[in-house]
Amino acid sequence: MMKLYYEYASKVLNNEIVTGDTIKLACKRFQNDLLRDDLEFREDVVDRAISFIGTLKHYTGKHAGSNFILEGWQQFIIANILGFYWKGTGTRRFTSSYIEVSRKQGKTALAAALCLYYLIADGEDGAEVLLAANSKEQAKIAFDMCSKFSKGLDTKGKYLTAYRADILFKATNSKLKVLAADDSKLDGFNASFGLLDEYHAAKTSKVRDVIKSSMGMRENPHLCTITTAGFDKTLPCYQLRTVAIEVLNELKSDDEMFIAIYSLDADDDWRSEKNWMKVAPNLNVTVTSKYIKGQVQQAINNPSDEVGVRTKTLNQWCDSATVWLSDESIIKCTQAVDLSKFRGLPCYIGVDLAATSDLTAVSYLVVDSDKYYFKTHYYLPESALTDKTDKELYKLWKRAGLLTVTAGNVTDYDYISKNDKTIAVDPRLDFAVGRMEIPYKDWGLPANDWIRNVSSGGVFLPKKHVYSKAEQDAGLAGSTYSSGWAPGSAMNLQYLCLRDCKLLYAECLANDGELSAAMQQVNDIRERAAKPDNIIYLEDGTPAANYLVKPYPSSHAAFSNKETCIKAIHMERKLELAMEGQRFFDLVRWGGDYMNKELTAYINYEKQYLTKFYGVSAPTASKTMFPLPETEIQTAGNDENGQAYLVQNDAWK
C-alpha cells in the first residue's frame, strides 16, 4: 500500500486533488528529489515522526480526546521537512521551510506537533526549540497548544514539565521557549528548531534573523515559517514568499528551503466554490464549505469585509487593510511607468508639499491618446526617516526608488525642484552599479521587479561583467537565466589590467614621495573616464545623468601632500576597479586599522536600510587578515633549530 505522503503528491499531479500551481510545483519538486543521486529519502524517520504525532491527543472540539491523525497534505509537509538527507551523511537537506495556508486548516496544531517532535523525538540532546511570533499574545496561542499536547503525553509530568513560557523535557535536558518580537531580550539562543507563526504580521525580519543566526552550532537545525496571507506586501513575509515562489519556478536556487503555499492561482475567482479547495486542504475536515460560503457572501455584501475574508479565509494576499477599489481593478491598470518614453507629450504635475515630518508627493499625469499614465515620487527629510513610526516602510520605498530622502530636518524644496540630475556624478558609477532611471546596458531602464529581494539586497544592481541582452541573444550568456547574471565575473576570474597596474604604480610612487608622478598616473585614468565613449546616454542622445570627472589640477593638495595624494589614489581605485573583486585585497594591503575603519563605516551605513546588517560588526584591526591554516603550518615543518617556518599571528593563536 502506497504511503499517504507519496499518494498525496501523486494525486495532486494527476489532478485527483484540487490544488493551486504552487502546490503542484512542490509535489513535482518532491518527486524529482526522490530521484536525485545526491539525496536519500529516509522513510523510517518520516514514519517515526508521523507515528509520534499520532500519539498526541486533541483537547477541544469534536475531536477532543482522539489522536492527532495527519491528513495527506500534512504528511507531505512532514515527509519533506524530515525525510531528505544529503547522501551518505547524517545531515538533513532542508534547513528552513515556508508554509502558507488559510485559517482553520489545523495549521497551529501541525506547528505545535512539529515543535514537540523536535523537543522530544528527533534524537538531539539539549535541544532548544524556539516558538516565535510577532507578539506575545500570538506566540501564546501555539504555546498553549504545545503545553496541552505535552500534558496529554505525560499526564503525571514525569518527563515533561510545562511552565508559563517554556516546556522542559528532562530525559534529554531539552527545552521549548516562547519568543516574541516585542520581547526586550532577543539573544543568547542556540536553537535546534524554530517556529515562526503568523509571519505576515511581522514589521521586520528581526526575530527570524535572530533564530536563524542562533542555529550555527546545530547539526540538523530547521526554521519553519508558517503563516496565513496578509495585506501589506512591503513587509518581510511577502518578500520571503516572493523568493519561495521563484525557487519553486526555478528562477532562483535554494536547495535547503522547503515550500508549501496553498493559494489561488492568478486567474482564479475567489468567489467561486470550485477554487476553495486550493486554499483549504482540510476542507470538510476542520472547516466546512458552508462556513467558507458564508464568509465569502459576507465579503460580497460588505466590501469593507473583503480584505479580511480574502487574506484569512482564502489565503489571498491583498494590497491594503480596507477596500475602496477592488484589487482586480487596480491590478488591471498597474504597470511600470517610464516618463522618458513620453517626451514631447503634455504632462500635468501635482505637488502636495509638507514641511517637516510628512511626505511631499510629486505626481505626474501624461495623456497619450485615450490612456492616462500616472507616476508619483515621494520626498521626506532625513530626520523624519529616523523618527516616524513607518520608518521601515519608508526605508523600503527608498530602496525601491520611490522615495528620496533630503538632508536636514525640513523638506528641501530646492532639491525637489531641481531633482537628482543636477547632482554631478562620476560616470564610472553608472558603469559599475545599476541605478533606477539609468539605462542598464541594452536591457532598458531598471524596474523595481528586477531586484528579487529589495529588503535584503537593496535597490542597486551589479553591472560590470553582467552580460548584455545582445550577448544573451547571441547565446553567449549560458542556456538559461540559472546560469547567473555574471558567469565568469571578476570574483571567479583572475586578470591583470593596465588600469590596475597604473594605480598600483601610483601607489608606489606616492609612498616614495614622488607625488607629481603619482598624480599623473591618476590623471591618466581620469582623462580616460571623461571621454564621451564612457558616458551613458538616453535614447534621445542626452546624458543619462549630470556626469563630471576631470583631472586633478596641479594646484591640488595631492601634488604636495603625501597623505592627500594617497587618499586620492585610494579613491581612484575604488571608482575605477569597483565590482572587480579588488577591494578586499586593497584593504588588506592598506592595513588592519584602515580596513577596520572602512568596514565599520560601511556596516553602520548599510544597517540603516538592510536587516542583514543587524548585529554585524567589523573585525578588529588584528583580525582583518585571515589566520594561517593549521595544515599549512604543519606542512611547512620546522627549521634546523626546531622552530616552525610558519607561525600563527598572535590574534589567531
Side-chain angles (χ1 to χ4, degrees):
M1 183 177 176
M2 182 183 291
K3 295 186 177 182
L4 192 54
Y5 41 86
Y6 293 132
E7 183 182 345
Y8 176 80
S10 180
K11 285 186 174 181
V12 166
L13 294 175
N14 290 331
N15 294 317
E16 296 175 57
I17 296 176
V18 178
T19 67
D21 289 342
T22 48
I23 293 300
K24 289 177 181 175
L25 288 170
C27 290
K28 185 63 178 176
R29 187 189 191 195
F30 173 69
Q31 291 192 342
N32 289 340
D33 290 343
L34 292 172
L35 303 175
R36 283 174 53 170
D37 293 333
D38 59 337
L39 294 173
E40 57 183 318
F41 185 73
R42 299 185 183 177
E43 287 187 356
D44 60 319
V45 176
V46 177
D47 295 343
R48 184 173 70 247
I50 292 171
S51 178
F52 168 82
I53 293 172
T55 66
L56 305 177
K57 293 187 182 293
H58 294 288
Y59 55 89
T60 60
K62 67 178 182 179
H63 300 294
S66 60
N67 289 65
F68 192 152
I69 305 300
L70 291 166
E71 298 294 321
W73 70 279
Q74 295 170 318
Q75 288 201 19
F76 174 75
I77 290 172
I78 297 292
N80 275 278
I81 290 175
L82 296 173
F84 284 107
Y85 287 75
W86 297 110
K87 198 163 204 173
T89 74
T91 305
R92 278 203 188 102
R93 176 260 193 101
F94 288 122
T95 60
S96 69
S97 54
Y98 180 83
I99 302 166
E100 188 184 285
V101 67
S102 62
R103 280 186 179 173
K104 299 187 179 294
Q105 304 305 308
K107 169 178 68 67
T108 303
L110 177 63
L114 270 171
C115 286
L116 287 178
Y117 174 80
Y118 273 91
L119 177 71
I120 299 169
D122 199 41
E124 186 164 3
D125 289 340
E128 184 173 283
V129 176
L130 297 181
L131 201 167
N134 194 50
S135 65
K136 290 184 176 69
E137 289 75 17
Q138 182 61 48
K140 191 174 184 299
I141 295 172
F143 176 77
D144 286 346
M145 189 166 287
C146 287
S147 179
K148 290 183 171 67
F149 276 158
S150 69
K151 289 175 181 177
L153 279 176
D154 184 14
T155 55
K156 296 182 179 181
K158 185 176 179 180
Y159 301 102
L160 283 164
T161 305
Y163 299 99
R164 184 177 179 183
D166 48 29
I167 300 172
L168 180 64
F169 181 53
K170 301 171 187 175
T172 59
N173 195 30
S174 300
K175 183 178 284 189
L176 183 152
K177 301 179 180 179
V178 172
L179 185 65
D182 50 6
D183 282 340
S184 57
K185 187 178 180 182
L186 292 173
D187 55 21
F189 303 113
N190 182 26
S192 52
F193 179 77
L195 176 75
L196 195 53
D197 193 22
E198 296 296 4
Y199 191 48
H200 73 272
K203 302 299 183 185
T204 71
S205 63
K206 186 176 181 180
V207 173
R208 190 173 190 276
D209 295 340
V210 166
I211 297 175
K212 197 171 181 179
S213 64
S214 75
M215 292 178 161
M217 299 301 293
R218 297 290 186 172
E219 182 180 6
N220 286 311
H222 192 89
L223 173 56
C224 177
T225 303
I226 189 163
T227 188
T228 55
F231 55 78
D232 192 342
K233 295 181 179 179
T234 66
L235 296 182
C237 184
Y238 193 78
Q239 308 304 317
L240 179 61
R241 181 189 201 267
T242 301
V243 171
I245 291 174
E246 289 177 330
V247 171
L248 287 177
N249 284 283
E250 299 182 351
L251 299 173
K252 219 172 204 180
S253 178
D254 190 339
D255 224 12
E256 296 186 347
M257 179 169 65
F258 168 70
I259 302 146
I261 299 174
Y262 288 87
S263 66
L264 299 174
D265 296 322
D267 297 329
D268 286 341
D269 183 358
W270 58 274
R271 306 167 188 84
S272 176
E273 187 171 352
K274 69 178 183 180
N275 295 321
W276 297 343
M277 186 71 179
K278 294 182 179 182
V279 301
N282 256 17
L283 191 65
N284 296 321
V285 178
T286 57
V287 64
T288 64
S289 296
K290 181 181 177 183
Y291 171 82
I292 297 179
K293 185 178 289 186
Q295 291 288 298
V296 169
Q297 190 60 52
Q298 180 181 328
I300 294 171
N301 294 340
N302 189 357
S304 64
D305 293 332
E306 181 181 321
V307 168
V309 171
R310 290 173 66 181
T311 55
K312 306 310 173 192
T313 304
L314 299 173
N315 199 49
Q316 189 176 34
W317 281 84
C318 298
D319 292 304
S320 60
T322 58
V323 172
W324 176 52
L325 295 173
S326 67
D327 277 0
E328 290 93 338
S329 300
I330 296 171
I331 291 170
K332 284 179 181 177
C333 65
T334 298
Q335 67 179 68
V337 175
D338 176 11
L339 292 177
S340 66
K341 295 181 178 179
F342 301 103
R343 294 182 186 276
L345 293 178
C347 179
Y348 304 88
I349 302 175
V351 182
D352 182 9
L353 296 175
T356 56
S357 60
D358 205 357
L359 288 167
T360 289
V362 180
S363 293
Y364 305 87
L365 164 62
V366 178
V367 183
D368 186 11
S369 299
D370 59 343
K371 290 186 177 180
Y372 296 81
Y373 297 87
F374 296 89
K375 186 169 186 173
T376 300
H377 194 81
Y378 301 95
Y379 299 85
L380 195 68
E382 190 174 30
S383 61
L385 191 62
T386 304
D387 301 334
K388 292 185 74 70
T389 56
D390 294 326
K391 61 183 179 182
E392 293 299 325
L393 175 61
Y394 291 145
K395 287 178 180 178
L396 183 65
W397 288 10
K398 181 177 183 292
R399 291 193 295 269
L402 304 173
L403 171 69
T404 297
V405 179
T406 63
N409 57 7
V410 296
T411 302
D412 188 341
Y413 297 148
D414 288 337
Y415 178 89
I416 295 172
S417 64
K418 295 177 182 176
N419 212 331
D420 296 346
K421 290 191 176 181
T422 62
I423 301 174
V425 297
D426 193 302
R428 289 171 289 183
L429 169 67
D430 287 333
F431 275 91
V433 179
R435 298 195 294 154
M436 301 294 288
E437 309 299 331
I438 305 295
Y440 192 89
K441 298 196 169 182
D442 57 352
W443 291 95
L445 295 177
N448 294 342
D449 59 2
W450 283 31
I451 295 95
R452 299 245 172 112
N453 189 346
V454 175
S455 63
S456 62
V459 72
F460 300 108
L461 296 165
K463 203 169 186 180
K464 276 189 182 176
H465 300 290
V466 176
Y467 55 74
S468 65
K469 188 175 187 303
E471 288 171 326
Q472 181 194 276
D473 294 343
L476 302 175
S479 58
T480 64
Y481 284 107
S482 63
S483 302
W485 272 103
S489 72
M491 301 303 291
N492 302 309
L493 180 67
Q494 293 184 341
Y495 63 88
L496 191 64
C497 61
L498 182 60
R499 301 170 293 126
D500 187 11
C501 292
K502 286 181 75 68
L503 290 172
L504 287 173
Y505 182 42
E507 199 173 320
C508 295
L509 291 169
N511 282 305
D512 283 343
E514 299 182 39
L515 307 186
S516 293
M519 290 306 297
Q520 184 55 57
Q521 300 297 321
V522 172
N523 280 342
D524 288 348
I525 301 293
R526 294 177 70 83
E527 286 175 355
R528 173 184 171 273
K531 292 181 179 295
D533 289 347
N534 294 322
I535 290 174
I536 294 175
Y537 298 91
L538 299 174
E539 290 184 357
D540 63 1
T542 59
N546 181 18
Y547 295 120
L548 178 64
V549 59
K550 55 186 181 181
Y552 288 95
S554 58
S555 58
H556 195 278
F559 283 81
S560 56
N561 181 276
K562 182 176 179 177
E563 183 180 355
T564 305
C565 182
I566 290 174
K567 283 183 179 179
I569 296 168
H570 287 182
M571 175 57 72
E572 205 63 27
R573 288 191 64 84
K574 184 189 291 188
L575 289 167
E576 186 65 33
L577 304 174
M579 310 296 286
E580 296 184 30
Q582 302 282 0
R583 181 66 171 164
F584 173 80
F585 303 101
D586 283 345
L587 292 175
V588 169
R589 187 172 71 257
W590 297 334
D593 288 329
Y594 186 95
M595 187 176 193
N596 174 263
K597 180 182 176 183
E598 289 290 299
L599 291 177
T600 298
Y602 170 70
I603 291 167
N604 288 340
Y605 179 84
E606 292 293 341
K607 70 174 45 174
Q608 302 175 82
Y609 309 107
L610 301 181
T611 57
K612 65 182 179 183
F613 284 91
Y614 292 167
V616 175
S617 59
T620 60
S622 62
K623 288 193 173 184
T624 51
M625 295 284 288
F626 290 135
L628 292 171
E630 288 298 324
T631 53
E632 294 298 321
I633 295 175
Q634 295 170 12
T635 302
N638 300 325
D639 62 18
E640 62 273 12
N641 299 316
Q643 301 297 313
Y645 283 110
L646 296 177
V647 179
Q648 189 70 269
N649 63 71
D650 291 339
W652 293 103
K653 285 182 178 177

